[in-house]
Amino acid sequence: SQQGEEDPQALSIQEGENATMNCSYKTSINNLQWYRQNSGRGLVHLILIRSNEREKHSGRLRVTLDTSKKSSSLLITASRAADTASYFCATQETSGSRLTFGEGTQLTVNP
Amino acid sequence: GAVVSQHPSRVICKSGTSVKIECRSLDFQATTMFWYRQFPKQSLMLMATSNEGSKATYEQGVEKDKFLINHASLTLSTLTVTSAHPEDSSFYICSASDTVGEKLFFGSGTQLSVL
Protein backbone atom coordinates (compact mmCIF):
# COMPACT_ATOMS: atom_id res chain seq x y z
CA SER A 1 0.00 0.00 0.00
CA GLN A 2 1.13 3.54 -0.63
CA GLN A 3 1.71 5.50 2.52
CA GLY A 4 2.67 8.70 0.82
CA GLU A 5 0.05 11.18 -0.17
CA GLU A 6 1.07 13.99 -2.42
CA ASP A 7 -0.60 17.22 -3.26
CA PRO A 8 -1.40 18.67 -5.55
CA GLN A 9 -2.12 15.75 -7.86
CA ALA A 10 -1.50 18.05 -10.79
CA LEU A 11 0.20 21.41 -11.07
CA SER A 12 0.44 23.66 -14.11
CA ILE A 13 2.69 26.72 -14.06
CA GLN A 14 4.49 29.06 -16.41
CA GLU A 15 8.16 28.82 -17.15
CA GLY A 16 10.21 30.79 -14.65
CA GLU A 17 7.75 30.29 -11.79
CA ASN A 18 8.45 28.15 -8.75
CA ALA A 19 6.72 24.80 -8.24
CA THR A 20 5.99 23.37 -4.82
CA MET A 21 4.85 19.82 -4.21
CA ASN A 22 3.98 18.32 -0.85
CA CYS A 23 4.16 14.79 0.51
CA SER A 24 2.75 13.35 3.70
CA TYR A 25 3.48 9.96 5.21
CA LYS A 26 2.28 7.91 8.13
CA THR A 27 5.06 5.88 9.69
CA SER A 28 8.43 6.80 11.16
CA ILE A 29 11.15 6.95 8.55
CA ASN A 30 14.89 6.73 8.09
CA ASN A 31 14.83 8.90 4.99
CA LEU A 32 12.56 10.42 2.38
CA GLN A 33 13.44 10.63 -1.28
CA TRP A 34 12.10 12.42 -4.32
CA TYR A 35 12.06 10.92 -7.78
CA ARG A 36 11.11 12.25 -11.17
CA GLN A 37 9.47 10.31 -13.98
CA ASN A 38 9.14 11.48 -17.53
CA SER A 39 6.15 10.04 -19.36
CA GLY A 40 6.66 6.40 -20.29
CA ARG A 41 10.07 6.21 -18.65
CA GLY A 42 11.65 4.93 -15.48
CA LEU A 43 12.21 7.04 -12.40
CA VAL A 44 15.26 9.15 -11.72
CA HIS A 45 16.48 9.79 -8.18
CA LEU A 46 16.56 13.51 -7.37
CA ILE A 47 17.38 13.97 -3.72
CA LEU A 48 17.42 12.15 -0.39
CA ILE A 49 16.81 13.78 2.98
CA ARG A 50 17.40 11.93 6.21
CA SER A 51 15.10 12.00 9.22
CA ASN A 52 17.57 14.14 11.18
CA GLU A 53 17.76 16.74 8.43
CA ARG A 54 15.31 19.58 7.95
CA GLU A 55 16.32 21.04 4.62
CA LYS A 56 18.45 20.08 1.67
CA HIS A 57 19.39 21.76 -1.59
CA SER A 58 20.51 20.44 -4.94
CA GLY A 59 20.74 22.93 -7.78
CA ARG A 60 17.25 24.35 -8.31
CA LEU A 61 15.73 21.81 -5.93
CA ARG A 62 14.97 22.48 -2.30
CA VAL A 63 13.54 19.80 -0.05
CA THR A 64 12.23 20.25 3.45
CA LEU A 65 11.28 17.63 5.96
CA ASP A 66 9.10 18.04 9.04
CA THR A 67 9.10 14.77 10.95
CA SER A 68 6.71 16.12 13.58
CA LYS A 69 4.11 16.66 10.87
CA LYS A 70 5.29 13.70 8.82
CA SER A 71 5.50 15.84 5.73
CA SER A 72 7.96 16.98 3.12
CA SER A 73 7.96 19.51 0.35
CA LEU A 74 9.85 19.75 -2.91
CA LEU A 75 10.44 23.19 -4.36
CA ILE A 76 11.67 23.64 -7.91
CA THR A 77 12.80 27.19 -8.51
CA ALA A 78 12.85 29.01 -11.85
CA SER A 79 11.05 26.16 -13.56
CA ARG A 80 11.70 25.19 -17.14
CA ALA A 81 9.57 23.41 -19.71
CA ALA A 82 11.96 20.47 -19.38
CA ASP A 83 10.90 20.08 -15.74
CA THR A 84 7.54 18.79 -16.97
CA ALA A 85 7.23 15.32 -15.42
CA SER A 86 5.66 13.37 -12.58
CA TYR A 87 7.32 13.74 -9.21
CA PHE A 88 7.10 11.05 -6.54
CA CYS A 89 8.14 11.04 -2.94
CA ALA A 90 9.24 7.76 -1.41
CA THR A 91 9.90 6.86 2.19
CA GLN A 92 12.21 4.27 3.66
CA GLU A 93 11.53 3.15 7.22
CA THR A 94 14.99 1.74 7.83
CA SER A 95 18.15 1.88 5.77
CA GLY A 96 17.98 -0.87 3.17
CA SER A 97 14.27 -1.57 3.55
CA ARG A 98 11.73 -1.25 0.77
CA LEU A 99 10.73 2.15 -0.54
CA THR A 100 7.09 3.16 -0.38
CA PHE A 101 6.05 5.60 -3.07
CA GLY A 102 3.50 8.36 -2.91
CA GLU A 103 0.80 8.92 -5.49
CA GLY A 104 2.80 11.53 -7.36
CA THR A 105 2.32 15.06 -8.64
CA GLN A 106 2.07 15.71 -12.36
CA LEU A 107 3.89 18.97 -13.06
CA THR A 108 3.38 20.80 -16.32
CA VAL A 109 5.59 23.80 -17.05
CA ASN A 110 4.24 25.86 -19.92
CA PRO A 111 6.78 27.68 -22.10
CA GLY B 1 25.37 7.26 -11.39
CA ALA B 2 24.51 3.60 -11.64
CA VAL B 3 22.87 2.42 -14.85
CA VAL B 4 20.07 -0.10 -15.03
CA SER B 5 19.09 -1.38 -18.45
CA GLN B 6 15.66 -2.85 -19.07
CA HIS B 7 14.51 -4.65 -22.21
CA PRO B 8 12.32 -4.68 -24.14
CA SER B 9 10.91 -1.17 -23.83
CA ARG B 10 7.66 -2.17 -25.45
CA VAL B 11 6.07 -5.52 -26.22
CA ILE B 12 2.77 -6.51 -27.75
CA CYS B 13 1.70 -10.10 -27.43
CA LYS B 14 -1.30 -12.32 -27.88
CA SER B 15 -3.33 -13.52 -24.94
CA GLY B 16 -1.98 -16.78 -23.56
CA THR B 17 1.65 -16.22 -24.47
CA SER B 18 4.51 -15.59 -22.07
CA VAL B 19 6.69 -12.52 -22.04
CA LYS B 20 10.13 -12.14 -20.51
CA ILE B 21 11.49 -8.79 -19.36
CA GLU B 22 15.17 -8.39 -18.55
CA CYS B 23 16.73 -6.00 -16.09
CA ARG B 24 20.49 -5.56 -16.00
CA SER B 25 22.73 -3.49 -13.78
CA LEU B 26 25.45 -2.34 -16.15
CA ASP B 27 28.14 -0.87 -13.94
CA PHE B 28 27.46 -2.25 -10.50
CA GLN B 29 26.45 -5.46 -8.80
CA ALA B 30 22.88 -5.53 -7.63
CA THR B 31 22.24 -8.09 -4.94
CA THR B 32 18.67 -6.87 -4.71
CA MET B 33 16.37 -5.79 -7.51
CA PHE B 34 12.77 -4.68 -7.32
CA TRP B 35 9.96 -5.12 -9.80
CA TYR B 36 7.14 -2.59 -9.95
CA ARG B 37 3.95 -2.30 -11.90
CA GLN B 38 2.44 1.04 -12.82
CA PHE B 39 -0.96 1.85 -14.29
CA PRO B 40 -1.50 5.10 -16.21
CA LYS B 41 -1.34 8.19 -14.04
CA GLN B 42 -0.83 6.10 -10.92
CA SER B 43 2.02 5.40 -8.56
CA LEU B 44 4.35 2.43 -8.56
CA MET B 45 3.14 -0.78 -7.00
CA LEU B 46 5.86 -3.08 -5.70
CA MET B 47 5.36 -6.58 -7.04
CA ALA B 48 8.36 -8.43 -5.71
CA THR B 49 11.85 -8.15 -4.36
CA SER B 50 14.42 -10.18 -6.23
CA ASN B 51 17.49 -11.41 -4.40
CA GLU B 52 20.45 -12.91 -6.23
CA GLY B 53 20.65 -16.63 -5.74
CA SER B 54 17.43 -17.01 -3.81
CA LYS B 55 13.71 -17.02 -4.35
CA ALA B 56 11.97 -13.72 -4.87
CA THR B 57 9.76 -12.27 -2.19
CA TYR B 58 6.34 -11.40 -3.56
CA GLU B 59 4.00 -8.76 -2.26
CA GLN B 60 0.57 -9.74 -1.05
CA GLY B 61 -1.81 -10.29 -3.91
CA VAL B 62 0.88 -10.89 -6.53
CA GLU B 63 0.72 -14.38 -8.01
CA LYS B 64 4.19 -15.90 -7.98
CA ASP B 65 3.24 -18.50 -10.58
CA LYS B 66 1.96 -15.76 -12.85
CA PHE B 67 4.93 -13.46 -12.49
CA LEU B 68 8.08 -15.56 -12.44
CA ILE B 69 11.18 -13.79 -11.23
CA ASN B 70 14.69 -15.10 -11.63
CA HIS B 71 17.81 -13.39 -10.30
CA ALA B 72 20.53 -15.76 -11.40
CA SER B 73 23.44 -13.33 -11.31
CA LEU B 74 24.47 -10.12 -9.60
CA THR B 75 23.72 -8.15 -12.74
CA LEU B 76 20.58 -9.74 -14.18
CA SER B 77 17.02 -10.23 -13.00
CA THR B 78 14.18 -11.34 -15.24
CA LEU B 79 10.42 -11.10 -14.91
CA THR B 80 8.34 -13.52 -16.96
CA VAL B 81 4.65 -12.86 -17.30
CA THR B 82 3.19 -16.29 -17.96
CA SER B 83 0.03 -16.90 -19.93
CA ALA B 84 -0.51 -13.19 -20.30
CA HIS B 85 -4.03 -11.78 -20.43
CA PRO B 86 -5.28 -8.30 -21.32
CA GLU B 87 -5.54 -7.38 -17.64
CA ASP B 88 -1.78 -7.90 -17.36
CA SER B 89 -1.27 -4.98 -19.73
CA SER B 90 0.69 -2.41 -17.80
CA PHE B 91 3.99 -0.59 -17.43
CA TYR B 92 6.57 -2.75 -15.64
CA ILE B 93 9.66 -1.17 -14.13
CA CYS B 94 12.67 -2.74 -12.48
CA SER B 95 15.09 -1.09 -10.11
CA ALA B 96 18.23 -1.88 -8.16
CA SER B 97 19.47 -0.30 -4.99
CA ASP B 98 22.87 1.21 -4.30
CA THR B 99 25.33 -0.53 -2.01
CA VAL B 100 23.87 1.16 1.05
CA GLY B 101 20.41 0.03 0.08
CA GLU B 102 18.90 3.50 0.00
CA LYS B 103 18.68 5.07 -3.45
CA LEU B 104 17.04 3.18 -6.26
CA PHE B 105 18.22 3.19 -9.84
CA PHE B 106 15.47 2.42 -12.31
CA GLY B 107 15.30 0.79 -15.69
CA SER B 108 13.45 2.66 -18.41
CA GLY B 109 10.40 0.43 -18.09
CA THR B 110 8.53 -1.99 -20.32
CA GLN B 111 5.09 -1.24 -21.70
CA LEU B 112 3.27 -4.56 -22.05
CA SER B 113 0.15 -4.73 -24.19
CA VAL B 114 -1.70 -8.03 -24.29
CA LEU B 115 -4.21 -8.36 -27.11
Side-chain angles (χ1 to χ4, degrees):
Chain A
S1 62
Q2 303 294 333
Q3 79 153 332
E5 295 181 2
E6 295 182 61
D7 76 274
Q9 289 188 334
L11 179 62
S12 182
I13 59 175
Q14 294 300 122
E15 212 166 21
E17 294 180 341
N18 296 340
T20 300
M21 290 159 268
N22 302 296
C23 168
S24 61
Y25 55 93
K26 297 176 183 174
T27 66
S28 61
I29 61 171
N30 173 275
N31 65 76
L32 185 145
Q33 305 176 36
W34 285 89
Y35 288 82
R36 164 197 169 126
Q37 182 182 33
N38 284 57
S39 180
R41 305 289 294 175
L43 279 70
V44 175
H45 181 270
L46 294 177
I47 196 166
L48 179 154
I49 187 166
R50 300 190 185 282
S51 59
N52 61 353
E53 297 176 310
R54 292 296 167 260
E55 188 172 310
K56 205 162 184 179
H57 297 254
S58 176
R60 293 185 296 113
L61 305 181
R62 173 178 171 253
V63 170
T64 62
L65 178 65
D66 187 334
T67 53
S68 66
K69 295 181 179 178
K70 290 186 167 58
S71 67
S72 172
S73 67
L74 171 66
L75 168 67
I76 303 175
T77 60
S79 64
R80 306 166 182 168
D83 294 329
T84 294
S86 291
Y87 292 82
F88 293 91
C89 68
T91 55
Q92 194 173 44
E93 294 186 21
T94 58
S95 182
S97 67
R98 55 182 285 182
L99 282 178
T100 302
F101 285 85
E103 297 300 316
T105 294
Q106 171 61 51
L107 172 66
T108 302
V109 182
N110 301 298
Chain B
V3 178
V4 175
S5 175
Q6 184 174 343
H7 293 281
S9 59
R10 182 178 295 273
V11 58
I12 301 172
C13 68
K14 292 182 179 180
S15 186
T17 61
S18 294
V19 175
K20 179 184 282 189
I21 303 170
E22 289 190 351
C23 182
R24 294 179 184 273
S25 56
L26 297 186
D27 52 0
F28 68 106
Q29 293 182 332
T31 55
T32 303
M33 288 186 174
F34 304 88
W35 287 94
Y36 294 85
R37 183 173 181 175
Q38 185 180 33
F39 291 104
K41 298 189 184 301
Q42 293 189 22
S43 187
L44 282 72
M45 181 183 72
L46 180 64
M47 299 175 65
T49 301
S50 166
N51 295 295
E52 185 267 337
S54 63
K55 292 183 178 180
T57 302
Y58 290 82
E59 295 299 304
Q60 190 173 6
V62 178
E63 300 176 57
K64 61 180 181 180
D65 295 330
K66 173 77 172 176
F67 299 99
L68 298 178
I69 292 173
N70 183 277
H71 195 158
S73 77
L74 286 172
T75 59
L76 174 64
S77 176
T78 61
L79 167 66
T80 301
V81 183
T82 63
S83 187
H85 288 92
E87 57 266 29
D88 298 324
S89 298
S90 187
F91 191 61
Y92 294 88
I93 316 175
C94 70
S95 68
S97 62
D98 62 0
T99 53
V100 180
E102 291 182 335
K103 302 176 190 177
L104 288 185
F105 300 96
F106 284 83
S108 54
T110 298
Q111 182 63 53
L112 171 64
S113 299
V114 185
L115 304 178

mmCIF file of all heavy atoms in Angstrom, chain B residues 2 13 23 25 32 40 45 51 53-54 73 84 98 100:
data_model
loop_
_atom_site.group_PDB
_atom_site.id
_atom_site.type_symbol
_atom_site.label_atom_id
_atom_site.label_comp_id
_atom_site.label_asym_id
_atom_site.label_seq_id
_atom_site.Cartn_x
_atom_site.Cartn_y
_atom_site.Cartn_z
ATOM 1 N N ALA B 2 24.675 4.969 -11.200
ATOM 2 C CA ALA B 2 24.513 3.598 -11.640
ATOM 3 C C ALA B 2 23.503 3.502 -12.772
ATOM 4 O O ALA B 2 22.529 4.253 -12.813
ATOM 5 C CB ALA B 2 24.058 2.746 -10.473
ATOM 6 N N CYS B 13 1.792 -8.651 -27.269
ATOM 7 C CA CYS B 13 1.697 -10.099 -27.427
ATOM 8 C C CYS B 13 0.237 -10.540 -27.432
ATOM 9 O O CYS B 13 -0.660 -9.786 -27.051
ATOM 10 C CB CYS B 13 2.454 -10.806 -26.302
ATOM 11 S SG CYS B 13 1.699 -10.616 -24.679
ATOM 12 N N CYS B 23 16.249 -7.167 -16.812
ATOM 13 C CA CYS B 23 16.730 -5.998 -16.093
ATOM 14 C C CYS B 23 18.186 -6.237 -15.732
ATOM 15 O O CYS B 23 18.504 -7.197 -15.022
ATOM 16 C CB CYS B 23 15.882 -5.792 -14.835
ATOM 17 S SG CYS B 23 16.315 -4.343 -13.867
ATOM 18 N N SER B 25 21.940 -4.573 -14.345
ATOM 19 C CA SER B 25 22.733 -3.488 -13.776
ATOM 20 C C SER B 25 24.045 -3.485 -14.551
ATOM 21 O O SER B 25 24.755 -4.476 -14.591
ATOM 22 C CB SER B 25 22.974 -3.720 -12.283
ATOM 23 O OG SER B 25 23.577 -4.971 -12.054
ATOM 24 N N THR B 32 20.123 -6.957 -4.844
ATOM 25 C CA THR B 32 18.673 -6.874 -4.715
ATOM 26 C C THR B 32 18.097 -6.026 -5.838
ATOM 27 O O THR B 32 18.584 -4.918 -6.088
ATOM 28 C CB THR B 32 18.252 -6.254 -3.371
ATOM 29 O OG1 THR B 32 18.812 -7.019 -2.316
ATOM 30 C CG2 THR B 32 16.735 -6.256 -3.234
ATOM 31 N N PRO B 40 -1.550 3.702 -15.756
ATOM 32 C CA PRO B 40 -1.499 5.096 -16.209
ATOM 33 C C PRO B 40 -1.906 6.081 -15.125
ATOM 34 O O PRO B 40 -2.901 5.895 -14.432
ATOM 35 C CB PRO B 40 -2.488 5.117 -17.385
ATOM 36 C CG PRO B 40 -2.460 3.728 -17.903
ATOM 37 C CD PRO B 40 -2.308 2.851 -16.691
ATOM 38 N N MET B 45 3.564 0.254 -7.922
ATOM 39 C CA MET B 45 3.144 -0.778 -6.995
ATOM 40 C C MET B 45 4.218 -1.851 -6.971
ATOM 41 O O MET B 45 4.509 -2.469 -7.995
ATOM 42 C CB MET B 45 1.810 -1.375 -7.430
ATOM 43 C CG MET B 45 1.281 -2.456 -6.506
ATOM 44 S SD MET B 45 -0.247 -3.189 -7.093
ATOM 45 C CE MET B 45 0.344 -4.155 -8.474
ATOM 46 N N ASN B 51 16.178 -11.279 -5.000
ATOM 47 C CA ASN B 51 17.495 -11.405 -4.396
ATOM 48 C C ASN B 51 18.331 -12.415 -5.161
ATOM 49 O O ASN B 51 17.863 -13.510 -5.467
ATOM 50 C CB ASN B 51 17.369 -11.843 -2.940
ATOM 51 C CG ASN B 51 16.684 -10.800 -2.093
ATOM 52 O OD1 ASN B 51 17.183 -9.705 -1.897
ATOM 53 N ND2 ASN B 51 15.502 -11.123 -1.589
ATOM 54 N N GLY B 53 20.404 -15.303 -6.259
ATOM 55 C CA GLY B 53 20.648 -16.634 -5.742
ATOM 56 C C GLY B 53 19.572 -17.205 -4.853
ATOM 57 O O GLY B 53 19.724 -18.321 -4.342
ATOM 58 N N SER B 54 18.501 -16.474 -4.646
ATOM 59 C CA SER B 54 17.430 -17.008 -3.806
ATOM 60 C C SER B 54 16.071 -16.680 -4.414
ATOM 61 O O SER B 54 15.978 -15.944 -5.391
ATOM 62 C CB SER B 54 17.522 -16.449 -2.383
ATOM 63 O OG SER B 54 17.352 -15.054 -2.394
ATOM 64 N N SER B 73 22.110 -13.911 -11.459
ATOM 65 C CA SER B 73 23.441 -13.333 -11.313
ATOM 66 C C SER B 73 23.325 -11.971 -10.637
ATOM 67 O O SER B 73 22.229 -11.440 -10.470
ATOM 68 C CB SER B 73 24.116 -13.183 -12.674
ATOM 69 O OG SER B 73 23.600 -12.070 -13.376
ATOM 70 N N ALA B 84 -0.068 -14.573 -20.452
ATOM 71 C CA ALA B 84 -0.514 -13.189 -20.295
ATOM 72 C C ALA B 84 -1.955 -12.997 -20.768
ATOM 73 O O ALA B 84 -2.398 -13.610 -21.741
ATOM 74 C CB ALA B 84 0.410 -12.258 -21.069
ATOM 75 N N ASP B 98 21.433 0.990 -4.417
ATOM 76 C CA ASP B 98 22.866 1.213 -4.298
ATOM 77 C C ASP B 98 23.418 0.315 -3.188
ATOM 78 O O ASP B 98 22.674 -0.429 -2.550
ATOM 79 C CB ASP B 98 23.158 2.694 -4.025
ATOM 80 C CG ASP B 98 22.550 3.187 -2.708
ATOM 81 O OD1 ASP B 98 21.906 2.383 -2.003
ATOM 82 O OD2 ASP B 98 22.710 4.366 -2.398
ATOM 83 N N VAL B 100 24.380 0.877 -0.290
ATOM 84 C CA VAL B 100 23.868 1.158 1.052
ATOM 85 C C VAL B 100 22.438 0.666 1.188
ATOM 86 O O VAL B 100 21.954 0.439 2.294
ATOM 87 C CB VAL B 100 23.945 2.678 1.342
ATOM 88 C CG1 VAL B 100 23.426 2.997 2.732
ATOM 89 C CG2 VAL B 100 25.378 3.159 1.181
#
